[in-house]
Amino acid sequence: MVTLLAECVNLKNKGMNIMKKTTTICFANNKGGSGKSTTCSNVGYSLVQSGKKVLLIDGDMQLNLTLSFFDEETVLEIAKGDKNLYYAVKEQKDLSDFIYETPYKNLDIIPSSTLMSGIEYELFTKWQRELILKKALKNIQESGKYDYILIDAPPTLGGWAMNLLCASDYLLIPVEASPWGLFGLANMFEFYSVVTDIAPELKVLGIAITKVNERKNYFKQTLASLKEMDDFYIFDSYVRIDSTIEWAQDAGMPVAAFKKSSRAAQEYDALAQEIHKQAVKRNKEH
């Protein structure tokens, strides 16, 4: 009787693992300097600290997401090799074989390559080129190994950005609180509309405001403009300008790992928890 009960519990646990939902979020904006990579890396780290398992995907040739966890020499060595995102997409490989462990438990990454500058050409020759990443990521998403997959997209809108969004459940748009922060946002939404013709299940999770200086009117102006967009969720948690962020980047570490007590670390953590809460809510709706 005890053995039978144990087997039932084991089967139940296996069933729970099979049904586990992996949520994929793409951090994208048509404007450079919006804080995409920094937000993606620090949100990923904060989610892990709260007990989640996270896979990061560096989709940008600038390698900033990868540089958030490894030193420059290591990153360049990876970029030159054949275990990076560029090679995986070029050869249409299963991404399961391209995962690196970061120095932090339960936080993994698929690194980028400087060769990503040629990814549009590689895609042009492929069949169903908009869905290559989606197919390459399918086994990881269905395995239930990760609670979240966070993708850092480049600031350019083209076939590769479309690939990243088609492989995602949600789009998250970081917006810089500056005079030019909203520049290109209309293009981003227009591009999103085009992507949903191919991937109708893709939804906008929300807009996160970064690089905030509360002493200037830019923040209030940015917030007021965004609040007019009734169709999209604006995260209450925002990240202010903090020199600790730059020091952490220089050290190749997430802010909370560099200085847990810093204001920036607390703000990224608050944003990560709000993102999780919003994702759970949206997942239940769908």
Side-chain angles (χ1 to χ4, degrees), residues 60-73:
D60 193 347
M61 64 170 285
Q62 296 181 54
L63 314 174
N64 288 333
L65 186 63
T66 311
L67 285 165
S68 299
F69 300 96
F70 302 102
D71 62 80
E72 187 175 337
E73 184 178 348

Side-chain angles (χ1 to χ4, degrees), residues 23-26 168-172 202-203 205 279 282-283:
T23 300
T24 305
I25 305 173
C26 183
S168 304
D169 299 306
Y170 299 108
L171 163 64
L172 189 149
L202 177 69
K203 307 298 178 185
L205 188 66
R282 297 297 296 273
N283 287 342

